Amino acid sequence: MMSLIVNPTEQLTSEVKEHRKAEHSVNPLFLNRWSPRAYDDRKVSDEDLYSILEAAHWAPSSFNDQPWRFIVAKTEGQLETFHEFLHPFNRAWAEKAPVLVLVASNKKRDNGDQNGAHAFDAGTAWGYLAIQATLLGLSTHAIGGFDKDKARSLLNVPDDFDLHAVIAVGYRGEKETLDANLQERENPSTRKSLEEVVFEGRINL
Ligand SMILES: Cc1cc2nc3c(=O)[nH]c(=O)nc-3n(C[C@H](O)[C@H](O)[C@H](O)COP(=O)(O)O)c2cc1C
C-alpha cells in the first residue's frame, strides 16, 4: 500500500524527483502535481470530470457559503467559445486540452452581505480539484491570462461573480508537441525555501 508520506523522494515520478525536493515529509501527491502545457487528445470521462468537481466542492468555505461556481467546456462548441477569450500565449497550448473549467465565485453571501472570503474559498476549491485530478492520473493547469470581460459576456456571468482562472484538464501529452520555447519550460517548478514563507510567532521580513 502507498505510504502516506514521502521522505523525501520515494514514490515521486522521475521528472519530479529530478526537479523537486521537499524539505519535510509530505504525501508524494503534492509534489507529483504540477502544471504541464502539453496535452494529449485523449478524452476525459464524465466520471473522472465529475470526480474532480466533486472534490472541489468539498472544499471548506467561510460560513459554508460555497461561493465557487465551475463552468465546464467539454464539447467542441463549448471549447471553441472558451478559446475565444484565452490570451494568445495560453490559447496556443490550452486549446489542446479536452476540458476547460472556468472557476468563478460569488462576491455576495447567501444573506446578501459582501463575502470577503469568496476568492480564498474558490482558491481552495481549485486546489482540491487539482489534487483529485492528480489522483486520477490527470493533469491540470490554471490560467489567469484570459479576457475576463469577454468571458463574462460570452458565458453570461452575472456581475456579482468574480472570474478567477480557466483550468485546463486532461492527460499529459508529448513535450515535443509544444513550441520550442514552451518545451524548455515543460518541467515541474521548484519552490522557495520554507523559511522564506513560514514564520513562527510573527513575521520577520
Ligand atoms: C491563478 C493562477 C493563474 C495562472 N495563470 C497562468 C497563465 O495564464 N498561463 C500559464 O501558462 N500558467 C499560469 N499559471 C500556472 C503557474 O505559473 C504555475 O502554477 C506555477 O508556476 C507553479 O507551477 P506548478 O503548478 O507546476 O507547481 C497560473 C496559476 C495560477 C494558480
Side-chain angles (χ1 to χ4, degrees):
M1 203 169 97
M2 192 172 86
S3 135
L4 290 178
I5 58 170
V6 58
N7 190 7
T9 56
E10 287 163 46
Q11 298 158 6
L12 299 178
T13 62
S14 55
E15 65 211 341
V16 166
K17 217 177 263 184
E18 193 185 328
H19 291 95
R20 292 185 155 175
K21 195 158 169 34
E23 297 173 55
H24 298 273
S25 297
V26 64
N27 189 290
L29 188 55
F30 294 97
L31 274 77
N32 284 336
R33 182 220 59 82
W34 63 281
S35 307
R37 293 191 178 86
Y39 285 89
D40 196 72
D41 288 345
R42 189 173 155 198
K43 298 270 177 253
V44 175
S45 69
D46 270 357
E47 191 185 349
D48 285 354
L49 172 60
Y50 278 85
S51 168
I52 68 173
L53 294 166
E54 181 75 35
H57 147 96
W58 283 100
S61 61
S62 168
F63 284 95
N64 199 19
D65 265 344
Q66 303 160 56
W68 44 72
R69 299 291 182 271
F70 308 103
I71 308 173
V72 176
K74 60 174 191 170
T75 67
E76 208 174 308
Q78 291 163 349
L79 287 163
E80 273 169 18
T81 303
F82 273 51
H83 297 161
E84 281 185 53
F85 55 75
L86 293 180
H87 287 167
F89 166 80
N90 289 316
R91 181 177 175 158
W93 59 267
E95 66 184 359
K96 305 245 170 52
V99 175
L100 296 170
V101 179
L102 178 61
V103 181
S105 63
N106 194 344
K107 294 184 282 184
K108 287 209 175 135
R109 294 193 178 281
D110 294 346
N111 67 7
D113 290 350
Q114 289 296 319
N115 179 356
H118 71 95
F120 188 77
D121 296 344
T124 311
W126 131 247
Y128 275 36
L129 181 156
I131 291 295
Q132 179 65 25
T134 308
L135 279 168
L136 293 170
L138 286 160
S139 289
T140 54
H141 194 133
I143 302 167
F146 68 100
D147 183 332
K148 293 188 178 174
D149 293 337
K150 201 165 178 182
R152 184 182 294 285
S153 129
L154 284 170
L155 304 178
N156 273 332
V157 182
D159 287 342
D160 279 349
F161 291 79
D162 260 359
L163 304 184
H164 301 290
V166 175
I167 315 297
V169 183
Y171 293 94
R172 275 196 56 206
E174 298 293 333
K175 203 185 214 179
E176 291 68 30
T177 60
L178 293 169
D179 290 345
N181 65 324
L182 291 184
Q183 285 187 34
E184 280 171 30
R185 296 163 63 176
E186 190 74 344
N187 288 312
S189 56
T190 57
R191 289 296 182 267
K192 295 174 179 169
S193 68
L194 262 193
E195 69 173 16
E196 286 180 77
V197 298
V198 177
F199 302 90
E200 294 193 11
R202 63 177 180 180
I203 200 155
N204 178 21
L205 294 171

